[in-house]
Amino acid sequence: MSNLLASRSAHGEKSQRFLAWLDRRPNRPFFAFLNYMEPYLPHYAPQEFSQKFVKQQKKLNFESFVRQDPINPAELQGWNEEYDALTAYLDSQLK
């Protein structure tokens, strides 16, 4: 789990570095692409976001998802809820 938290922290730093650059950039057109990976598994959303989206906390089996094992409807619901929580977390970091 510590690697996941470090990743979250690194994405926050990515945003801060970009905003600092944006403040001092030359006044000319530019293209910027910041690649955020929070919504992609096996990350889990911070508790405050999980509470809003995840109906029943459960450990999702990432390995079976990658192997594309059959997923029952309850598992699929869990993956969708976690994705929604992660997306909401990322959105909150970009505001």
Side-chain angles (χ1 to χ4, degrees):
M1 185 62 95
S2 62
N3 289 341
L4 299 179
L5 296 177
S7 173
R8 249 183 227 133
S9 173
H11 289 356
E13 291 171 21
K14 182 188 301 184
S15 296
Q16 293 304 316
R17 286 194 320 268
F18 175 73
L19 293 173
W21 173 84
L22 190 60
D23 286 340
R24 64 180 189 280
R25 73 176 175 81
N27 190 15
R28 64 177 193 239
F30 69 93
F31 170 80
F33 174 76
L34 281 69
N35 191 14
Y36 294 95
M37 296 300 294
E38 263 83 358
Y40 300 97
L41 304 169
H43 297 287
Y44 292 93
Q47 188 66 29
E48 67 182 278
F49 293 91
S50 288
Q51 289 173 343
K52 293 177 184 177
F53 294 92
V54 179
K55 293 178 179 67
Q56 181 182 350
Q57 285 288 55
K58 54 192 156 293
K59 182 166 174 51
L60 300 172
N61 187 341
F62 181 67
E63 290 78 20
S64 68
F65 187 81
V66 170
R67 287 191 310 262
Q68 297 183 351
D69 292 348
I71 298 175
N72 68 46
E75 287 176 303
L76 183 57
Q77 180 68 29
W79 288 111
N80 288 337
E81 291 169 358
E82 193 62 45
Y83 182 86
D84 290 345
L86 286 162
T87 301
Y89 166 73
L90 179 57
D91 287 349
S92 77
Q93 299 300 299
L94 298 175
K95 293 180 180 176

XYZ file of all heavy atoms in Angstrom:
803
model
N 0.814 -1.193 0.000
C 0.000 0.000 0.000
C 0.859 1.260 0.000
O 0.457 2.269 -0.549
C -0.940 -0.036 1.201
C -1.912 1.118 1.232
S -3.038 1.162 -0.172
C -4.406 0.321 0.496
N 2.050 1.216 0.560
C 2.879 2.416 0.605
C 3.247 2.883 -0.809
O 3.360 4.074 -1.057
C 4.132 2.182 1.441
O 4.921 1.164 0.850
N 3.445 1.944 -1.746
C 3.723 2.343 -3.128
C 2.547 3.087 -3.739
O 2.723 4.010 -4.518
C 4.048 1.129 -3.995
C 5.398 0.544 -3.660
O 6.234 1.209 -3.057
N 5.603 -0.692 -4.037
N 1.339 2.679 -3.389
C 0.159 3.348 -3.916
C 0.069 4.764 -3.375
O -0.245 5.695 -4.104
C -1.104 2.571 -3.562
C -1.185 1.153 -4.100
C -2.485 0.494 -3.639
C -1.113 1.151 -5.603
N 0.360 4.934 -2.095
C 0.321 6.274 -1.512
C 1.425 7.138 -2.089
O 1.219 8.321 -2.336
C 0.433 6.186 0.016
C -0.723 5.462 0.707
C -0.460 5.368 2.204
C -2.041 6.158 0.438
N 2.580 6.563 -2.330
C 3.667 7.325 -2.942
C 3.260 7.771 -4.342
O 3.547 8.890 -4.756
C 4.940 6.478 -3.001
N 2.576 6.909 -5.076
C 2.115 7.260 -6.406
C 1.132 8.423 -6.346
O 1.196 9.349 -7.134
C 1.457 6.049 -7.061
O 0.865 6.400 -8.275
N 0.200 8.369 -5.384
C -0.753 9.458 -5.220
C -0.026 10.763 -4.948
O -0.339 11.788 -5.487
C -1.683 9.140 -4.055
C -3.051 8.871 -4.495
C -3.973 8.623 -3.353
N -4.709 7.450 -3.737
C -4.928 6.418 -2.999
N -4.505 6.387 -1.772
N -5.594 5.397 -3.462
N 0.960 10.702 -4.070
C 1.725 11.889 -3.714
C 2.469 12.420 -4.939
O 2.509 13.619 -5.176
C 2.718 11.540 -2.602
O 3.574 12.618 -2.364
N 3.039 11.521 -5.721
C 3.786 11.942 -6.917
C 2.874 12.650 -7.902
O 3.277 13.615 -8.542
C 4.438 10.725 -7.571
N 1.616 12.215 -8.022
C 0.708 12.875 -8.949
C 0.356 14.267 -8.458
O 0.215 15.191 -9.249
C -0.549 12.040 -9.166
C -0.290 10.797 -9.974
N 0.920 10.503 -10.521
C -1.094 9.790 -10.319
C 0.847 9.361 -11.169
N -0.373 8.898 -11.055
N 0.215 14.438 -7.157
C -0.021 15.765 -6.599
C 1.157 16.681 -6.875
O 0.990 17.854 -7.225
N 2.357 16.134 -6.739
C 3.563 16.909 -7.041
C 3.622 17.252 -8.524
O 4.067 18.344 -8.896
C 4.808 16.124 -6.629
C 4.953 15.979 -5.138
C 6.054 15.014 -4.751
O 6.951 14.756 -5.579
O 6.005 14.520 -3.614
N 3.184 16.329 -9.369
C 3.165 16.590 -10.805
C 2.299 17.816 -11.099
O 2.683 18.702 -11.859
C 2.629 15.374 -11.567
C 2.619 15.549 -13.075
C 1.904 14.416 -13.786
C 2.522 13.087 -13.498
N 1.916 11.987 -14.250
N 1.133 17.874 -10.482
C 0.239 19.016 -10.682
C 0.887 20.305 -10.205
O 0.824 21.331 -10.887
C -1.075 18.808 -9.927
O -1.766 17.707 -10.440
N 1.509 20.258 -9.026
C 2.143 21.456 -8.476
C 3.287 21.941 -9.354
O 3.431 23.150 -9.590
C 2.637 21.191 -7.046
C 1.522 20.967 -6.051
C 0.539 22.128 -6.020
O 0.917 23.287 -6.010
N -0.747 21.802 -6.026
N 4.099 21.014 -9.855
C 5.208 21.406 -10.744
C 4.670 22.027 -12.030
O 5.202 23.017 -12.527
C 6.098 20.200 -11.058
C 6.977 19.791 -9.902
C 8.092 18.827 -10.315
N 7.705 17.816 -11.279
C 7.265 16.598 -10.973
N 7.157 16.236 -9.717
N 6.955 15.741 -11.915
N 3.611 21.438 -12.578
C 3.031 21.982 -13.796
C 2.478 23.385 -13.558
O 2.701 24.296 -14.353
C 1.936 21.081 -14.355
C 1.237 21.690 -15.536
C 1.872 21.777 -16.770
C -0.033 22.222 -15.402
C 1.244 22.365 -17.851
C -0.673 22.807 -16.483
C -0.031 22.889 -17.713
N 1.753 23.572 -12.462
C 1.189 24.893 -12.171
C 2.285 25.934 -11.952
O 2.148 27.089 -12.385
C 0.260 24.811 -10.963
C -1.019 24.002 -11.195
C -1.782 23.833 -9.892
C -1.893 24.646 -12.265
N 3.373 25.536 -11.303
C 4.507 26.454 -11.127
C 5.098 26.822 -12.487
O 5.413 27.985 -12.755
C 5.563 25.821 -10.228
N 5.265 25.850 -13.356
C 5.772 26.113 -14.701
C 4.817 27.036 -15.454
O 5.245 27.976 -16.132
C 5.941 24.807 -15.471
C 6.307 25.030 -16.907
C 7.562 25.237 -17.411
C 5.406 25.109 -18.022
N 7.496 25.433 -18.771
C 6.182 25.355 -19.172
C 4.033 24.987 -18.159
C 5.627 25.484 -20.441
C 3.467 25.117 -19.415
C 4.259 25.369 -20.540
N 3.539 26.783 -15.325
C 2.535 27.565 -16.024
C 2.613 29.044 -15.624
O 2.474 29.929 -16.458
C 1.144 26.999 -15.726
C -0.027 27.530 -16.529
C 0.162 27.278 -18.014
C -1.317 26.878 -16.038
N 2.892 29.305 -14.355
C 3.005 30.686 -13.878
C 4.197 31.419 -14.469
O 4.172 32.635 -14.608
C 3.117 30.715 -12.348
C 1.791 30.411 -11.675
O 0.736 30.545 -12.337
O 1.810 30.044 -10.490
N 5.257 30.695 -14.816
C 6.470 31.367 -15.309
C 6.774 31.107 -16.784
O 7.802 31.523 -17.279
C 7.658 30.982 -14.437
C 8.050 29.551 -14.461
C 9.252 29.263 -13.554
N 9.725 27.927 -13.752
C 9.186 26.841 -13.219
N 8.153 26.940 -12.419
N 9.688 25.651 -13.461
N 5.862 30.464 -17.489
C 6.116 30.111 -18.891
C 6.112 31.355 -19.771
O 5.472 32.358 -19.452
C 5.076 29.119 -19.395
C 3.722 29.731 -19.614
C 2.744 28.730 -20.196
N 1.430 29.301 -20.297
C 1.030 30.108 -21.276
N 1.837 30.415 -22.251
N -0.185 30.594 -21.286
N 6.803 31.284 -20.893
C 6.746 32.387 -21.863
C 5.320 32.537 -22.394
O 4.560 31.577 -22.441
C 7.683 31.938 -22.978
C 8.492 30.820 -22.401
C 7.675 30.214 -21.299
N 4.977 33.726 -22.787
C 3.633 33.988 -23.289
C 3.540 33.583 -24.753
O 3.635 34.416 -25.653
C 3.279 35.466 -23.104
C 1.807 35.711 -23.383
O 1.015 34.784 -23.441
N 1.452 36.962 -23.563
N 3.393 32.297 -24.974
C 3.238 31.760 -26.332
C 2.417 30.484 -26.241
O 2.309 29.883 -25.177
C 4.591 31.523 -26.980
C 5.422 30.478 -26.279
C 6.740 30.243 -27.029
N 7.351 29.058 -26.519
C 8.551 29.015 -25.968
N 9.289 30.098 -25.879
N 9.041 27.888 -25.529
N 1.841 30.060 -27.348
C 1.029 28.829 -27.315
C 1.875 27.623 -26.877
O 3.075 27.569 -27.117
C 0.574 28.660 -28.766
C 0.706 30.013 -29.371
C 1.853 30.681 -28.664
N 1.218 26.686 -26.245
C 1.900 25.468 -25.820
C 0.894 24.330 -25.731
O -0.312 24.559 -25.713
C 2.597 25.658 -24.455
C 1.629 25.799 -23.309
C 1.232 24.698 -22.583
C 1.121 27.043 -22.967
C 0.334 24.831 -21.527
C 0.229 27.188 -21.918
C -0.169 26.076 -21.198
N 1.424 23.142 -25.689
C 0.613 21.947 -25.462
C 1.180 21.265 -24.229
O 2.396 21.120 -24.093
C 0.690 20.997 -26.662
C 0.061 19.658 -26.384
C -1.315 19.498 -26.448
C 0.838 18.569 -26.027
C -1.907 18.277 -26.177
C 0.261 17.344 -25.749
C -1.120 17.195 -25.832
N 0.320 20.855 -23.336
C 0.760 20.121 -22.150
C -0.104 18.878 -21.990
O -1.317 18.934 -22.175
C 0.657 20.999 -20.912
N 0.539 17.787 -21.669
C -0.173 16.541 -21.387
C 0.352 16.009 -20.062
O 1.522 15.677 -19.946
C 0.069 15.524 -22.504
C -0.527 14.170 -22.198
C -1.890 13.957 -22.315
C 0.281 13.130 -21.784
C -2.446 12.717 -22.029
C -0.256 11.888 -21.493
C -1.625 11.684 -21.619
N -0.507 15.960 -19.071
C -0.139 15.395 -17.776
C -0.874 14.076 -17.643
O -2.095 14.040 -17.688
C -0.544 16.338 -16.638
C 0.402 17.522 -16.416
C 0.342 18.512 -17.540
C 0.103 18.178 -15.100
N -0.130 13.011 -17.499
C -0.718 11.677 -17.465
C -0.964 11.264 -16.018
O -0.045 10.990 -15.272
C 0.229 10.693 -18.147
C -0.418 9.362 -18.385
O -1.627 9.225 -18.281
N 0.381 8.372 -18.715
N -2.230 11.246 -15.635
C -2.616 10.829 -14.294
C -3.145 9.404 -14.360
O -3.978 9.091 -15.186
C -3.700 11.749 -13.741
C -3.203 13.151 -13.520
C -3.383 14.130 -14.483
C -2.551 13.483 -12.350
C -2.919 15.412 -14.278
C -2.092 14.766 -12.131
C -2.278 15.730 -13.098
O -1.829 16.991 -12.896
N -2.671 8.564 -13.440
C -3.036 7.150 -13.483
C -3.899 6.707 -12.309
O -4.187 5.533 -12.170
C -1.773 6.288 -13.536
C -0.946 6.501 -14.790
S -1.819 6.115 -16.315
C -2.036 4.367 -16.155
N -4.352 7.615 -11.428
C -5.120 7.191 -10.267
C -6.300 6.280 -10.591
O -6.519 5.308 -9.898
C -5.629 8.391 -9.464
C -4.751 8.727 -8.290
C -3.565 9.583 -8.670
O -3.391 9.890 -9.861
O -2.802 9.933 -7.790
N -7.086 6.563 -11.619
C -8.251 5.716 -11.833
C -7.935 4.305 -12.317
O -8.821 3.488 -12.440
C -9.057 6.437 -12.909
C -8.558 7.818 -12.898
C -7.123 7.730 -12.463
N -6.686 4.025 -12.603
C -6.354 2.720 -13.136
C -5.820 1.829 -12.042
O -5.030 2.224 -11.205
C -5.383 2.861 -14.313
C -6.039 3.690 -15.373
C -5.795 5.039 -15.480
C -7.008 3.129 -16.198
C -6.463 5.817 -16.417
C -7.684 3.892 -17.125
C -7.404 5.228 -17.234
O -8.088 5.991 -18.140
N -6.285 0.619 -12.051
C -6.031 -0.329 -10.986
C -4.577 -0.757 -10.956
O -3.916 -0.699 -11.979
C -6.954 -1.524 -11.215
C -8.419 -1.103 -11.281
C -9.269 -2.247 -11.762
C -8.897 -0.595 -9.953
N -4.063 -1.174 -9.823
C -4.756 -1.639 -8.628
C -4.893 -0.587 -7.521
O -4.936 -0.931 -6.350
C -3.872 -2.772 -8.162
C -2.494 -2.301 -8.467
C -2.652 -1.541 -9.775
N -4.964 0.654 -7.847
C -5.104 1.688 -6.826
C -6.449 1.594 -6.113
O -7.428 1.138 -6.674
C -4.976 3.073 -7.452
C -3.648 3.326 -8.069
N -2.514 3.543 -7.321
C -3.253 3.399 -9.358
C -1.480 3.745 -8.119
N -1.902 3.648 -9.364
N -6.459 2.085 -4.886
C -7.692 2.198 -4.117
C -7.835 3.662 -3.717
O -6.858 4.317 -3.396
C -7.662 1.293 -2.884
C -7.694 -0.162 -3.246
C -6.523 -0.890 -3.392
C -8.900 -0.792 -3.490
C -6.560 -2.228 -3.761
C -8.937 -2.130 -3.849
C -7.766 -2.836 -3.993
O -7.810 -4.158 -4.358
N -9.043 4.156 -3.752
C -9.298 5.556 -3.441
C -9.086 5.837 -1.957
O -9.260 4.948 -1.123
C -10.732 5.911 -3.829
N -8.733 7.094 -1.619
C -8.684 7.478 -0.208
C -10.057 7.239 0.440
O -11.094 7.301 -0.233
C -8.347 8.967 -0.252
C -7.689 9.172 -1.577
C -8.348 8.189 -2.503
N -10.051 7.006 1.731
C -11.260 6.629 2.463
C -12.421 7.594 2.236
O -13.556 7.167 2.041
C -10.940 6.527 3.961
C -12.072 5.964 4.788
C -12.369 4.505 4.450
O -11.501 3.770 4.037
N -13.606 4.105 4.632
N -12.171 8.891 2.244
C -13.278 9.844 2.100
C -14.002 9.689 0.759
O -15.200 9.940 0.664
C -12.803 11.287 2.282
C -11.875 11.762 1.173
C -11.381 13.169 1.392
O -12.108 14.116 1.060
O -10.249 13.298 1.901
N -13.298 9.247 -0.266
C -13.927 9.035 -1.573
C -14.557 7.650 -1.659
O -15.624 7.492 -2.253
C -12.923 9.271 -2.697
C -12.513 10.706 -2.786
C -11.421 11.178 -2.089
C -13.256 11.603 -3.534
C -11.066 12.510 -2.134
C -12.916 12.935 -3.592
C -11.813 13.393 -2.882
N -13.917 6.666 -1.064
C -14.500 5.321 -1.043
C -15.842 5.334 -0.333
O -16.786 4.685 -0.766
C -13.562 4.335 -0.342
O -12.457 4.058 -1.152
N -15.936 6.086 0.757
C -17.185 6.141 1.516
C -18.338 6.677 0.670
O -19.481 6.299 0.873
C -17.018 7.010 2.763
C -16.154 6.370 3.810
C -15.867 7.307 4.969
O -16.034 8.516 4.890
N -15.419 6.725 6.073
N -18.021 7.555 -0.267
C -19.070 8.148 -1.103
C -19.532 7.207 -2.214
O -20.677 7.272 -2.644
C -18.572 9.446 -1.741
C -18.332 10.552 -0.760
C -17.780 11.764 -1.484
C -17.426 12.861 -0.500
N -16.823 14.010 -1.155
N -18.637 6.360 -2.715
C -18.937 5.579 -3.914
C -19.013 4.071 -3.703
O -19.750 3.393 -4.401
C -17.902 5.873 -5.003
C -17.957 7.269 -5.516
C -17.174 8.272 -4.968
C -18.818 7.602 -6.553
C -17.239 9.570 -5.443
C -18.893 8.893 -7.035
C -18.102 9.881 -6.470
N -18.208 3.540 -2.803
C -18.118 2.090 -2.632
C -19.143 1.650 -1.599
O -19.064 2.022 -0.432
C -16.690 1.672 -2.219
C -16.617 0.165 -2.027
C -15.682 2.129 -3.271
N -20.120 0.872 -2.060
C -21.221 0.457 -1.186
C -20.777 -0.547 -0.125
O -21.207 -0.503 1.008
C -22.356 -0.122 -2.018
C -23.038 0.916 -2.898
C -24.130 0.281 -3.740
C -24.841 1.277 -4.605
N -24.053 1.879 -5.659
N -19.925 -1.484 -0.500
C -19.459 -2.506 0.437
C -17.964 -2.688 0.223
O -17.536 -3.122 -0.856
C -20.196 -3.827 0.197
C -19.790 -4.924 1.143
C -20.517 -6.227 0.844
O -21.446 -6.268 0.051
N -20.081 -7.288 1.471
N -17.179 -2.348 1.240
C -15.733 -2.474 1.117
C -15.356 -3.943 0.973
O -15.815 -4.791 1.732
C -15.023 -1.898 2.350
C -15.007 -0.389 2.369
C -14.073 0.207 1.345
O -14.163 -0.084 0.157
N -13.187 1.049 1.768
N -14.559 -4.236 -0.025
C -14.066 -5.595 -0.220
C -12.742 -5.513 -0.967
O -12.478 -4.557 -1.679
C -15.076 -6.439 -1.001
C -15.505 -5.839 -2.325
C -16.704 -6.588 -2.857
C -17.526 -5.774 -3.808
N -18.219 -4.638 -3.319
N -11.922 -6.506 -0.749
C -10.649 -6.542 -1.454
C -10.901 -7.073 -2.859
O -11.411 -8.170 -3.025
C -9.652 -7.423 -0.708
C -8.298 -7.457 -1.357
C -7.281 -8.048 -0.425
C -5.930 -8.243 -1.056
N -5.349 -7.129 -1.723
N -10.563 -6.265 -3.847
C -10.748 -6.680 -5.237
C -9.535 -7.487 -5.687
O -8.404 -7.160 -5.352
C -10.941 -5.446 -6.116
C -12.151 -4.583 -5.746
C -12.149 -3.288 -6.541
C -13.437 -5.340 -5.950
N -9.782 -8.534 -6.455
C -8.713 -9.412 -6.912
C -8.160 -8.899 -8.240
O -8.674 -9.217 -9.307
C -9.240 -10.842 -7.043
C -8.141 -11.817 -7.343
O -7.059 -11.447 -7.799
N -8.411 -13.081 -7.097
N -7.110 -8.098 -8.136
C -6.523 -7.482 -9.319
C -5.944 -8.519 -10.280
O -6.071 -8.400 -11.489
C -5.447 -6.479 -8.909
C -4.813 -5.776 -10.066
C -5.534 -4.887 -10.841
C -3.492 -6.002 -10.397
C -4.963 -4.240 -11.917
C -2.909 -5.358 -11.469
C -3.639 -4.476 -12.231
N -5.319 -9.558 -9.741
C -4.689 -10.569 -10.609
C -5.715 -11.266 -11.495
O -5.479 -11.499 -12.669
C -3.917 -11.590 -9.769
C -2.668 -11.047 -9.125
C -2.955 -10.204 -7.884
O -4.064 -10.331 -7.293
O -2.084 -9.404 -7.521
N -6.874 -11.589 -10.927
C -7.892 -12.252 -11.745
C -8.451 -11.292 -12.792
O -8.814 -11.705 -13.890
C -9.015 -12.817 -10.882
O -9.772 -11.789 -10.296
N -8.491 -10.025 -12.458
C -8.950 -9.019 -13.418
C -7.984 -8.942 -14.606
O -8.402 -8.930 -15.755
C -9.061 -7.656 -12.716
C -9.672 -6.592 -13.565
C -11.046 -6.511 -13.713
C -8.882 -5.660 -14.200
C -11.627 -5.519 -14.488
C -9.446 -4.668 -14.973
C -10.822 -4.592 -15.122
N -6.686 -8.924 -14.310
C -5.663 -8.860 -15.363
C -5.699 -10.118 -16.230
O -5.562 -10.040 -17.444
C -4.258 -8.650 -14.755
C -3.171 -8.820 -15.799
C -4.168 -7.276 -14.107
N -5.901 -11.280 -15.592
C -5.976 -12.530 -16.357
C -7.264 -12.629 -17.164
O -7.437 -13.517 -17.966
C -5.896 -13.734 -15.407
C -4.541 -13.999 -14.826
C -4.507 -15.346 -14.134
N -5.601 -15.547 -13.202
C -5.526 -15.366 -11.876
N -4.405 -14.974 -11.337
N -6.577 -15.585 -11.107
N -8.183 -11.715 -16.907
C -9.489 -11.688 -17.550
C -10.306 -12.921 -17.200
O -11.039 -13.462 -18.029
C -9.364 -11.489 -19.060
C -8.733 -10.170 -19.412
C -8.660 -9.912 -20.901
O -8.934 -10.787 -21.712
N -8.297 -8.716 -21.264
N -10.171 -13.356 -15.936
C -11.038 -14.422 -15.433
C -12.480 -13.917 -15.464
O -12.715 -12.708 -15.407
C -10.666 -14.783 -13.992
C -9.301 -15.456 -13.890
O -8.750 -15.857 -14.939
O -8.784 -15.555 -12.770
N -13.440 -14.819 -15.535
C -14.838 -14.370 -15.489
C -15.113 -13.582 -14.204
O -14.619 -13.925 -13.134
C -15.631 -15.676 -15.494
C -14.703 -16.679 -16.087
C -13.317 -16.256 -15.688
N -15.857 -12.508 -14.340
C -16.192 -11.649 -13.205
C -17.696 -11.708 -12.993
O -18.468 -11.495 -13.930
C -15.753 -10.190 -13.471
C -14.238 -10.125 -13.646
C -16.205 -9.268 -12.351
C -13.720 -8.758 -14.028
N -18.096 -11.970 -11.755
C -19.528 -12.001 -11.478
C -20.052 -10.563 -11.338
O -19.263 -9.628 -11.186
C -19.841 -12.877 -10.265
C -19.333 -12.284 -8.975
O -19.507 -11.100 -8.711
N -18.704 -13.112 -8.157
N -21.345 -10.366 -11.432
C -21.912 -9.009 -11.384
C -21.535 -8.217 -10.129
O -21.312 -7.012 -10.205
C -23.416 -9.245 -11.451
C -23.560 -10.547 -12.181
C -22.384 -11.366 -11.730
N -21.432 -8.882 -8.982
C -21.060 -8.179 -7.749
C -19.627 -7.662 -7.822
O -19.333 -6.546 -7.394
C -21.231 -9.099 -6.544
N -18.713 -8.482 -8.380
C -17.325 -8.040 -8.546
C -17.249 -6.866 -9.519
O -16.532 -5.895 -9.277
C -16.449 -9.175 -9.063
C -16.137 -10.244 -8.056
C -15.356 -11.373 -8.688
O -15.845 -11.965 -9.669
O -14.250 -11.646 -8.190
N -17.980 -6.959 -10.607
C -17.986 -5.875 -11.589
C -18.493 -4.586 -10.953
O -17.923 -3.514 -11.172
C -18.852 -6.257 -12.791
C -18.887 -5.234 -13.921
C -17.496 -4.932 -14.457
C -19.799 -5.743 -15.033
N -19.512 -4.691 -10.143
C -20.030 -3.521 -9.429
C -18.937 -2.925 -8.535
O -18.760 -1.717 -8.471
C -21.257 -3.902 -8.600
C -21.859 -2.741 -7.837
C -22.489 -1.705 -8.741
O -22.954 -2.025 -9.830
N -22.489 -0.468 -8.308
N -18.186 -3.789 -7.864
C -17.088 -3.326 -7.011
C -16.017 -2.580 -7.793
O -15.534 -1.532 -7.365
N -15.633 -3.121 -8.948
C -14.647 -2.450 -9.799
C -15.175 -1.093 -10.266
O -14.449 -0.106 -10.268
C -14.317 -3.307 -11.029
C -13.497 -4.521 -10.719
C -13.923 -5.818 -10.784
C -12.137 -4.574 -10.300
N -12.900 -6.663 -10.430
C -11.796 -5.930 -10.132
C -11.174 -3.608 -10.051
C -10.527 -6.334 -9.722
C -9.906 -4.016 -9.637
C -9.599 -5.364 -9.481
N -16.434 -1.043 -10.663
C -17.021 0.218 -11.129
C -17.074 1.255 -10.015
O -16.779 2.436 -10.241
C -18.424 -0.016 -11.702
C -18.388 -0.736 -13.029
O -17.392 -0.710 -13.742
N -19.471 -1.409 -13.354
N -17.443 0.830 -8.815
C -17.508 1.755 -7.686
C -16.127 2.298 -7.342
O -15.958 3.493 -7.089
C -18.110 1.059 -6.464
C -19.579 0.736 -6.621
C -20.106 -0.185 -5.536
O -19.323 -0.613 -4.651
O -21.317 -0.485 -5.577
N -15.133 1.418 -7.338
C -13.769 1.854 -7.029
C -13.250 2.815 -8.099
O -12.599 3.817 -7.798
C -12.843 0.640 -6.885
C -11.508 0.969 -6.274
C -11.604 1.517 -4.857
O -12.355 0.966 -4.036
O -10.911 2.516 -4.574
N -13.545 2.534 -9.346
C -13.144 3.437 -10.441
C -13.789 4.807 -10.254
O -13.132 5.844 -10.404
C -13.536 2.837 -11.790
C -13.099 3.688 -12.961
C -11.825 3.543 -13.493
C -13.941 4.642 -13.507
C -11.404 4.335 -14.557
C -13.528 5.438 -14.567
C -12.262 5.276 -15.090
O -11.845 6.067 -16.120
N -15.073 4.832 -9.908
C -15.759 6.104 -9.681
C -15.120 6.877 -8.532
O -14.945 8.099 -8.611
C -17.239 5.874 -9.392
C -18.019 5.388 -10.612
O -17.494 5.498 -11.746
O -19.141 4.884 -10.427
N -14.771 6.180 -7.458
C -14.137 6.826 -6.309
C -12.773 7.395 -6.691
O -12.424 8.521 -6.315
C -14.001 5.837 -5.154
N -12.003 6.632 -7.450
C -10.686 7.106 -7.887
C -10.799 8.299 -8.827
O -10.013 9.240 -8.749
C -9.920 5.963 -8.562
C -9.390 4.916 -7.613
C -9.050 3.644 -8.364
C -8.184 5.446 -6.879
N -11.767 8.269 -9.712
C -11.959 9.382 -10.638
C -12.369 10.642 -9.877
O -11.871 11.738 -10.161
C -13.001 9.017 -11.701
O -12.546 7.851 -12.398
C -13.200 10.137 -12.696
N -13.228 10.500 -8.894
C -13.633 11.649 -8.070
C -12.428 12.196 -7.304
O -12.256 13.416 -7.186
C -14.744 11.240 -7.116
N -11.594 11.295 -6.787
C -10.376 11.740 -6.081
C -9.492 12.542 -7.037
O -9.027 13.634 -6.695
C -9.607 10.542 -5.513
C -8.209 10.923 -5.101
C -8.006 11.681 -3.961
C -7.119 10.555 -5.870
C -6.727 12.071 -3.595
C -5.850 10.927 -5.508
C -5.649 11.697 -4.377
O -4.381 12.073 -4.024
N -9.240 12.018 -8.215
C -8.398 12.724 -9.176
C -8.994 14.076 -9.534
O -8.301 15.079 -9.555
C -8.198 11.875 -10.436
C -7.352 12.522 -11.538
C -5.979 12.911 -11.014
C -7.230 11.574 -12.713
N -10.285 14.121 -9.790
C -10.960 15.393 -10.094
C -10.745 16.400 -8.973
O -10.530 17.581 -9.229
C -12.449 15.188 -10.339
C -12.747 14.533 -11.670
O -11.835 14.409 -12.510
O -13.908 14.111 -11.850
N -10.815 15.936 -7.728
C -10.657 16.859 -6.601
C -9.244 17.448 -6.558
O -9.045 18.552 -6.070
C -10.958 16.147 -5.281
O -9.882 15.314 -4.878
N -8.273 16.699 -7.068
C -6.900 17.173 -7.074
C -6.624 18.185 -8.189
O -5.660 18.931 -8.146
C -5.931 15.996 -7.208
C -6.012 14.997 -6.083
C -5.715 15.630 -4.744
O -4.637 16.145 -4.519
N -6.712 15.618 -3.858
N -7.482 18.202 -9.197
C -7.266 19.076 -10.341
C -7.982 20.416 -10.207
O -7.782 21.310 -10.998
C -7.733 18.385 -11.626
C -6.986 17.105 -11.975
C -7.596 16.440 -13.184
C -5.514 17.395 -12.200
N -8.826 20.564 -9.207
C -9.583 21.812 -9.032
C -8.742 22.883 -8.401
O -7.840 22.688 -7.707
C -10.827 21.556 -8.198
C -11.801 20.663 -8.951
C -13.032 20.419 -8.130
C -13.967 19.513 -8.926
N -15.127 19.129 -8.238
